[in-house]
């Protein structure tokens, strides 16, 4: 269930951060007592391949020996995906429950 919850939350975050601001209209149709949504609208999509190409060109997989642990860094008590709002969260997380 935690895995499914994580996936749904990732989809929610993506939708909130990249929401399509195009308008979707509804129309009254002759002989019907309610409006019908017209999903036949134009959308401006991102060039996904361009984003992939940029990520490949600019990405770097660091050598683990290059990673620096800064003084004062604190360890989480568990993996972040296990510290969701359902389990009480952790301080510093938007899901932290007081």
């Amino acid at each position: 269930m935690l895995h499914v919850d994580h996936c749904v939350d990732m989809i929610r975050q993506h939708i909130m951060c990249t929401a399509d601001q195009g308008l979707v209209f509804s129309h009254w149709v002759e002989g019907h007592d309610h409006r019908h949504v017209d999903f036949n609208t134009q959308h401006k999509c991102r060039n996904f391949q361009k984003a992939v190409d940029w990520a490949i060109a600019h990405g770097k997989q660091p050598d683990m020996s290059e990673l620096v642990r800064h003084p004062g860094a604190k360890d989480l008590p568990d993996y972040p995906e296990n510290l969701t709002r359902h389990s009480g969260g952790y301080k510093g997380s938007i899901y932290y429950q007081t």
Side-chain angles (χ1 to χ4, degrees), residues 26-37:
S26 59
H27 304 278
W28 291 99
V29 177
E30 212 175 291
H32 293 260
D33 61 354
H34 60 279
R35 295 176 296 160
H36 291 267
V37 177

Side-chain angles (χ1 to χ4, degrees), residues 2-91:
L2 279 176
H3 179 77
V4 172
D5 186 49
H6 162 76
C7 293
V8 170
D9 193 53
M10 293 302 297
I11 292 169
R12 176 195 61 81
Q13 289 178 44
H14 177 75
I15 290 170
M16 289 178 73
C17 294
T18 61
D20 180 358
Q21 296 178 349
L23 298 175
V24 178
F25 294 96
S26 59
H27 304 278
W28 291 99
V29 177
E30 212 175 291
H32 293 260
D33 61 354
H34 60 279
R35 295 176 296 160
H36 291 267
V37 177
D38 181 4
F39 292 108
N40 218 7
T41 58
Q42 289 188 342
H43 302 272
K44 183 173 181 178
C45 299
R46 291 174 176 82
N47 184 328
F48 182 71
Q49 190 58 51
K50 203 172 186 180
V52 169
D53 294 343
W54 184 92
I56 290 169
H58 294 88
K60 180 181 186 254
Q61 183 65 35
D63 182 337
M64 294 305 278
S65 66
E66 295 176 0
L67 298 179
V68 176
R69 183 178 178 91
H70 292 278
K74 300 201 184 303
D75 292 337
L76 295 176
D78 199 353
Y79 294 104
E81 62 268 21
N82 294 334
L83 299 172
T84 66
R85 68 192 100 173
H86 302 293
S87 62
Y90 62 93
K91 288 184 181 177

